[in-house]
Amino acid sequence: MIVPVTCMGDLHSACPVSVALFMQFLLQAQRHLSKLFDNLAKMKFRLDSEQKPTKVGLGMYSREEEYVSFSEPCDCSGQVRGRPCLSKLSSGVGSPAPFGGICCQDVVELHYSSFMRKAGKAGVQEKSALCSWCLEIDANPAVPELAKTTQSEEGLNKSEACLTRVEVWLNHVLDSMRATVRDEMTEAVMAYEEKPREQWLFDYPAQVALTCTQIWWTTEVGIAFARVEEGYENAMKEYHKKQVTQLNTLVTMLIGQLSKGDRQKIMTVCTIDVHARDVVAKMIAQKVDNAQAFIWLSQLRHRWSDEERHCFANICDAQFLYSYEYLGNTPRLVITPLTDRCYITLTQSLHLTMSGAPAGPAGTGKTETTKDLGRALGIMVYVFNCSEQMDYKSCGNIYKGLSQTGAWGCFDEFNRISVEVLSVVAVQVKSVQDAIREKKKSFNFLGEDINLVPSVGIFITMNPGYAGRTELPENLKALFRPCAMVVPDFELICEIMLVAEGFIEARVLARKFITLYQLCKELLSKQDHYDWGLRAIKSVLVVAGSLKRDDPERPEDQVLMRSLRDFNIPKIVTDDVPVFMGLIGDLFPALDVPRKRDLNFESFVRQAVLDLRLQAEDNFVLKVVQLEELLTVRHSVFVVGNAGTGKSQVMRSLNKTYQIMKRRPVWTDLNPKAVTNDELFGIINPATREWKDGLFSSIMRELANITHDGPKWMVLDGDIDPMWIESLNTVMDDNKVLTLASNERIPLNPTMRLVFEISHLRTATPATVSRAGILYINPSDLGWNPPVSSWIDRREIQSERANLTILFDKYLPICLDTLRTRFKKIIPIPEQSMVQMLCHLLECLLTEENTPPDCPKELYELYFVFAAVWAFGGSMFQDQVRRKMPLQHLLHMLFLFLFSFLYFPKHSAISVMMFSWGSHIGDNKLET
């Protein structure tokens, strides 16, 4: 929130330095706009004669860098004098901000103090009450200019005068945004028929073009129905042909050269056009000849009213006024029959003054469908990730803010809140619904009279049956209309997304794609980290679209085959690779497409690996490249593998590669299991309402405040626990925002990534697994040789390095193969750990005293044998019940065979043998 921008008031009467610093700060604080608006990221200001920005806004930018000029200049001064401070009119501590109940107290403290430091002043002045939406400036010797201004003008009392009210200029921005979208839409609707559609699309912002396309779809279907009623039976079929032609034109444009913004706009229009085409085709197949048929009435239909100059959305018997929230150039959800049913349920719940509750398994689109419906109606949708830290006051503040703005709130994982809080929440939700039902302009909420905008909507999503979930109270269930989100139509979604990515043979390729994933789910082993759901499908399709644009001449089946193979291989265990490759070979016969390689990047990776004194083997370099490819597509990645498989080294190598490429990487790691949930995400003191920040939230905020565009990693090195990782659901999915119990929202910037370094996902829920990309490092990917080679390279004596290399190659393979098949250990110990133990023991034994530079090579072999016996035999035990011969004795026989040239004590168990060797080696009396 950009509260500090106008907290200084009109400083033109003050010193020029204050004015300059204020305008400089105004530009810096724009990054907080994204917390208030759906997609308004920054603004463009008018320049004065000295080419310095003024307080007059000329336009707005989205997060995708789409620029839209305001229909009228926007006054951002927000100056109000001689009126009480807004915070004195509020109900006191924790009163919600006018924008969605999001408190910005921390932003005020941070940025205002930063501004005052830059101005050479003493720091933050007193804030009236605790409401951060208005900052009262008291006369203070530390701020002489402000004190002079406050006391001199109009004789205002310093405790009653508010230099500015931030909600004034923010509401100016809000009004300008809505007026601009509405004016653009008015012009676009009128100009639709003046030029070809593929040219008309580029004349208007993406949101306006998409909405007007839907308006004209409703209009043209209505015209076709009218012609059918007049007796022209082929009217609907002719319109369907027109739709197909328009869609093919857009797909052809996607194959060509387009800017990033234009490509996203065309892809979004294609996504909606495919659904519109399918609806018309279904009506033709069912021989619908009346506009009152349910198949048509059940669609979300946009229309434009020339008399009111407003856009309306109709579905069944419900009608909604378009809210004109600026949405930027964002993708839209693929609309399937399941999406249509969810739309009907949610809109009917709003029409009946109720709330909606989509429920179902992970990855079925509950939250995204709610957000997409909000986008279709031009409404801001705030997504909140519910947690155990939320109490009834924090929930009440959110409802209070939503009610005053008319925005929607989607509460993800709502049943994570404790049942005691939910009982009070039911009363709060009912009071909002009753006020809407009674058509009140204002109502009493938690003892305070607040305004009501009737478009407010409250939605909850739930995953049933997970750990830490509670059953909703009956009085709360009665307020929400449930909607079951079952398995979506994967093939239809895949086909539409392929069309949007520019694939011509989308239907055939979609069938192959979904068939492969169904067979993988049935035939591959059941691994905890395997996910063949909707989010995994979407990620592969994004990769396929990128590969097609990079190599447009390559046949489409080869492009899809390459993306399916290269994006899924990183997460498949070694035993499943032959099965997976066989399935791809059956679905794409006689295709052998080489992997797409960036040789320049691989050279940087090899240089980084060597700088870290590691072994630049092909398998290791491939894993580093695969991690980079995953981080390009997914902003959350699980690096999974047993201890010693090289997870940390892969990540360190990629980070070092970024350093060599001058990309200024930032790495912050923590163990989430080392602290409690309250210490990780923060907690509100129930008595004082004081917020204590958490470790994760403070780190994420610091990374978000770093301005450069280098990669920023938050590495969480610790076991997965649903009790803490479920609080990251909105960070790991497409919302990319951390929602705290204090109602603060910390966005995940495009350069920020979450990287989890873990050994398994046994305790993770399907909702967690589906939200991240997987890089699985098999034990065979690295093996024992690279770590051993790196350890040997660190030895200083050349002859020692040569002798150790020979000894490892001579004895380790046969020892490991025999131990793998014939011996049982007390506890499971990975081979890498035994090899690591061998190296540590050798470090203790191979000292200058024991092995002088001129010692014979047999001496190294003796020490190596002693270390090998301890490293490989230390975890064995005597199993007298299941075997006739103790395991230790078997190991003794193995070493007699392997090291036949050595003296072994006769009639001695291996434990006695080790102690005997220990005494011999200690005295340096060795026999051969």
Side-chain angles (χ1 to χ4, degrees):
M1 297 151 208
I2 52 173
V3 178
V5 172
T6 57
C7 286
M8 301 302 297
D10 187 2
L11 298 182
H12 287 285
S13 59
C15 67
V17 177
S18 299
V19 177
L21 285 172
F22 167 70
M23 294 312 303
Q24 179 184 357
F25 178 68
L26 185 147
L27 298 175
Q28 293 176 354
Q30 289 186 90
R31 64 176 181 272
H32 300 292
L33 281 172
S34 59
K35 301 176 185 177
L36 299 175
F37 300 94
D38 186 283
N39 207 343
L40 200 162
K42 60 182 180 179
M43 295 171 57
K44 179 180 180 181
F45 294 93
R46 178 181 292 167
L47 302 179
D48 59 16
S49 58
E50 298 179 358
Q51 297 301 305
K52 296 180 180 179
T54 64
K55 296 183 184 179
V56 179
L58 298 179
M60 53 188 172
Y61 289 92
S62 71
R63 283 190 290 268
E64 302 82 24
E65 298 296 327
E66 181 186 57
Y67 175 72
V68 180
S69 299
F70 288 140
S71 54
E72 296 289 340
C74 175
D75 177 20
C76 296
S77 64
Q79 181 180 356
V80 177
R81 295 186 179 275
R83 299 174 63 181
C85 180
L86 173 68
S87 54
K88 296 190 180 295
L89 300 177
S90 66
S91 63
V93 179
S95 295
F99 288 80
I102 304 170
C103 182
C104 58
Q105 181 174 343
D106 58 327
V107 179
V108 172
E109 293 176 349
L110 174 66
H111 291 283
Y112 183 61
S113 60
S114 173
F115 173 74
M116 295 302 292
R117 283 196 300 271
K118 289 182 179 179
K121 311 306 178 187
V124 181
Q125 306 304 307
E126 177 186 359
K127 296 189 297 297
S128 57
L130 288 180
C131 177
S132 302
W133 289 91
C134 177
L135 192 61
E136 184 177 19
I137 307 299
D138 286 340
N140 190 299
V143 278
E145 294 89 353
L146 292 177
K148 188 185 305 179
T149 304
T150 322
Q151 293 174 344
S152 61
E153 294 194 19
E154 303 178 14
L156 296 176
N157 185 289
K158 64 181 181 181
S159 63
E160 295 180 357
C162 182
L163 290 182
T164 69
R165 281 169 44 174
V166 70
E167 82 281 3
V168 171
W169 75 271
L170 281 176
N171 278 316
H172 287 170
V173 175
L174 180 64
D175 294 339
S176 296
M177 174 193 72
R178 289 177 172 169
T180 298
V181 175
R182 184 180 175 187
D183 289 346
E184 291 277 351
M185 205 171 287
T186 304
E187 180 183 342
V189 169
M190 302 304 176
Y192 182 81
E193 294 183 307
E194 294 178 0
K195 60 174 64 175
R197 180 169 176 257
E198 59 273 13
Q199 299 177 18
W200 169 87
L201 286 172
F202 295 107
D203 294 341
Y204 299 96
Q207 174 187 358
V208 174
L210 179 63
T211 307
C212 292
T213 297
Q214 293 174 290
I215 291 172
W216 272 97
W217 172 62
T218 304
T219 303
E220 291 175 334
V221 170
I223 293 172
F225 273 128
R227 296 180 64 194
V228 169
E229 291 178 358
E230 291 172 359
Y232 191 73
E233 297 180 355
N234 293 326
M236 194 65 71
K237 292 182 180 179
E238 289 184 358
Y239 177 60
H240 182 259
K241 292 180 181 178
K242 178 182 177 181
Q243 284 183 301
V244 172
T245 303
Q246 289 178 335
L247 184 59
N248 290 337
T249 302
L250 295 183
V251 172
T252 305
M253 293 171 62
L254 286 172
I255 302 174
Q257 296 296 321
L258 291 173
S259 66
K260 184 178 179 181
D262 288 342
R263 182 176 300 280
Q264 182 59 65
K265 181 194 295 187
I266 300 299
M267 288 172 63
T268 306
V269 174
C270 278
T271 302
I272 301 300
D273 273 5
V274 172
H275 174 253
R277 178 202 65 187
D278 293 344
V279 169
V280 172
K282 188 182 296 184
M283 290 192 296
I284 293 173
Q286 297 182 11
K287 299 181 179 179
V288 175
D289 57 0
N290 191 328
Q292 298 303 311
F294 180 75
I295 188 176
W296 173 241
L297 292 179
S298 62
Q299 299 299 318
L300 187 63
R301 311 177 311 280
H302 292 74
R303 67 178 181 86
W304 181 261
S305 173
D306 291 328
E307 296 79 13
E308 302 177 58
R309 293 184 68 251
H310 270 301
C311 176
F312 294 90
N314 296 81
I315 181 169
C316 296
D317 59 343
Q319 177 171 285
F320 302 91
L321 176 64
Y322 196 83
S323 292
Y324 305 104
E325 176 79 25
Y326 178 57
L327 305 177
N329 189 7
T330 53
R332 289 286 297 274
L333 204 64
V334 173
I335 302 177
T336 65
L338 175 63
T339 314
D340 283 333
R341 289 196 294 271
C342 186
Y343 280 1
I344 295 171
T345 305
L346 297 183
T347 52
Q348 285 298 303
S349 66
L350 292 174
H351 183 58
L352 299 173
T353 322
M354 295 180 66
S355 300
T364 51
K366 302 179 293 297
T367 304
E368 290 303 316
T369 302
T370 305
K371 286 175 57 182
D372 198 69
L373 178 59
R375 290 195 186 105
L377 302 179
I379 293 178
M380 172 71 181
V381 182
Y382 285 102
V383 178
F384 299 91
N385 192 45
C386 299
S387 64
E388 300 84 353
Q389 285 82 14
M390 294 181 70
D391 60 7
Y392 77 96
K393 287 188 177 179
S394 59
C395 292
N397 283 342
I398 294 174
Y399 299 143
K400 194 186 298 185
L402 295 176
S403 301
Q404 293 178 89
T405 58
W408 286 6
C410 181
F411 296 82
D412 207 7
E413 313 294 345
F414 191 64
N415 49 354
R416 291 184 67 202
I417 303 176
S418 61
V419 67
E420 297 84 1
V421 176
L422 291 178
S423 298
V424 183
V425 167
V427 179
Q428 296 172 343
V429 174
K430 190 174 188 308
S431 65
V432 175
Q433 292 181 353
D434 289 344
I436 299 174
R437 193 174 291 112
E438 296 169 9
K439 295 181 170 55
K440 292 183 177 180
K441 299 295 183 182
S442 63
F443 71 108
N444 187 279
F445 188 85
L446 298 181
E448 179 186 357
D449 288 332
I450 61 173
N451 294 328
L452 174 66
V453 178
S455 62
V456 58
I458 300 173
F459 303 91
I460 61 175
T461 67
M462 294 176 292
N463 275 320
Y466 286 179
R469 303 300 196 270
T470 57
E471 185 70 18
L472 297 188
E474 292 300 324
N475 62 338
L476 187 59
K477 284 183 180 179
L479 304 176
F480 291 88
R481 189 171 184 185
C483 177
M485 300 291 287
V486 293
V487 180
D489 190 340
F490 290 133
E491 187 171 329
L492 179 59
I493 293 173
C494 184
E495 178 188 345
I496 295 176
M497 290 192 68
L498 284 172
V499 171
E501 293 287 353
F503 284 80
I504 303 297
E505 304 171 3
R507 181 158 298 178
V508 176
L509 296 177
R511 190 173 298 116
K512 289 187 175 184
F513 190 121
I514 301 305
T515 301
L516 175 65
Y517 268 39
Q518 289 174 344
L519 291 174
C520 286
K521 192 174 182 180
E522 296 169 359
L523 299 180
L524 299 189
S525 60
K526 305 302 178 184
Q527 300 290 328
D528 297 314
H529 64 270
Y530 282 176
D531 172 46
W532 311 105
L534 196 55
R535 289 190 176 102
I537 292 172
K538 178 183 175 183
S539 300
V540 176
L541 292 174
V542 171
V543 174
S546 176
L547 291 176
K548 180 172 177 59
R549 288 189 289 275
D550 292 341
D551 192 0
E553 302 301 324
R554 187 175 293 277
E556 291 182 351
D557 56 346
Q558 294 187 18
V559 173
L560 185 63
M561 181 263 190
R562 172 190 274 179
S563 59
L564 283 168
R565 180 196 62 199
D566 295 346
F567 195 78
N568 285 298
I569 281 291
K571 69 179 179 183
I572 294 179
V573 299
T574 304
D575 294 340
D576 287 339
V577 171
V579 180
F580 178 75
M581 295 305 296
L583 292 175
I584 284 192
D586 292 341
L587 288 170
F588 300 92
L591 286 185
D592 185 15
V593 188
R595 174 183 173 83
K596 183 185 177 183
R597 300 179 61 183
D598 185 348
L599 298 179
N600 186 41
F601 180 76
E602 288 186 16
S603 66
F604 284 120
V605 172
R606 293 182 185 276
Q607 180 183 345
V609 172
L610 295 175
D611 289 348
L612 293 172
R613 303 186 71 178
L614 303 174
Q615 308 303 307
E617 295 196 350
D618 290 341
N619 281 346
F620 187 78
V621 172
L622 177 62
K623 285 297 173 184
V624 177
V625 173
Q626 288 174 344
L627 178 59
E628 159 67 13
E629 292 173 349
L630 270 176
L631 290 170
T632 304
V633 181
R634 307 290 287 265
H635 60 277
S636 299
V637 172
F638 290 135
V639 182
V640 188
N642 295 329
T645 52
K647 303 187 296 295
S648 298
Q649 300 300 343
V650 168
M651 294 160 56
R652 287 181 59 213
S653 299
L654 182 56
N655 187 69
K656 184 67 175 178
T657 304
Y658 290 154
Q659 293 177 6
I660 294 174
M661 298 173 69
K662 311 296 185 184
R663 294 183 59 182
R664 295 190 292 174
V666 179
W667 172 311
T668 305
D669 53 5
L670 73 146
N671 181 3
K673 296 294 289 181
V675 294
T676 64
N677 277 6
D678 293 343
E679 293 170 334
L680 193 61
F681 297 108
I683 188 172
I684 297 176
N685 189 315
T688 63
R689 306 302 299 167
E690 180 183 1
W691 169 252
K692 183 179 179 182
D693 208 5
L695 180 61
F696 183 90
S697 53
S698 61
I699 292 175
M700 186 168 172
R701 192 183 299 108
E702 290 173 2
L703 291 181
N705 288 332
I706 298 176
T707 55
H708 68 73
D709 57 355
K712 307 169 189 67
W713 289 4
M714 287 191 66
V715 180
L716 292 99
D717 189 355
D719 291 338
I720 295 295
D721 180 359
M723 301 307 292
W724 68 264
I725 199 169
E726 291 286 329
S727 297
L728 298 179
N729 279 353
T730 52
V731 185
M732 297 170 65
D733 60 20
D734 290 339
N735 293 293
K736 299 182 183 179
V737 61
L738 176 65
T739 62
L740 303 176
S742 63
N743 294 343
E744 183 186 1
R745 302 166 69 82
I746 305 175
L748 191 78
N749 292 343
T751 58
M752 293 169 60
R753 296 291 184 269
L754 288 182
V755 184
F756 300 82
E757 184 181 352
I758 49 180
S759 59
H760 61 81
L761 285 166
R762 285 193 290 270
T763 56
T765 63
T768 298
V769 177
S770 65
R771 278 175 160 83
I774 306 290
L775 177 66
Y776 184 78
I777 303 181
N778 296 278
S780 59
D781 290 338
L782 191 64
W784 61 266
N785 193 40
V788 167
S789 300
S790 298
W791 177 79
I792 293 176
D793 290 342
R794 291 196 293 270
R795 306 299 294 178
E796 296 179 357
I797 303 174
Q798 174 63 32
S799 59
E800 181 180 292
R801 292 199 295 267
N803 289 328
L804 287 174
T805 302
I806 294 172
L807 291 172
F808 273 102
D809 292 339
K810 181 178 180 181
Y811 292 120
L812 225 59
I814 189 170
C815 282
L816 292 175
D817 288 341
T818 308
L819 291 172
R820 206 177 290 133
T821 55
R822 297 186 58 185
F823 292 94
K824 181 180 178 182
K825 294 180 279 290
I826 297 174
I827 58 172
I829 299 179
E831 290 183 357
Q832 195 62 256
S833 298
M834 292 190 290
V835 175
Q836 191 176 30
M837 173 62 76
L838 175 60
C839 295
H840 289 326
L841 289 173
L842 288 173
E843 281 186 357
C844 298
L845 297 172
L846 302 181
T847 61
E848 291 187 9
E849 295 78 11
N850 292 339
T851 55
D854 57 346
C855 68
K857 64 179 181 180
E858 289 78 12
L859 188 60
Y860 284 104
E861 196 156 9
L862 293 175
Y863 281 117
F864 187 89
V865 170
F866 174 76
V869 170
W870 272 106
F872 299 136
S875 61
M876 302 298 173
F877 67 101
Q878 295 190 16
D879 190 349
Q880 300 286 1
V881 178
R882 298 178 58 185
R883 295 176 182 269
K884 295 181 179 180
M885 185 180 296
L887 289 172
Q888 291 183 350
H889 190 62
L890 284 173
L891 186 68
H892 187 185
M893 295 177 62
L894 170 65
F895 275 92
L896 283 173
F897 171 74
L898 292 177
F899 311 114
S900 57
F901 64 93
L902 294 173
Y903 166 75
F904 285 86
K906 295 182 179 179
H907 312 294
S908 172
I910 194 164
S911 58
V912 179
M913 173 194 70
M914 285 189 276
F915 286 116
S916 301
W917 280 359
S919 62
H920 284 301
I921 293 177
D923 298 333
N924 207 13
K925 297 175 181 178
L926 301 164
E927 302 180 47
T928 59

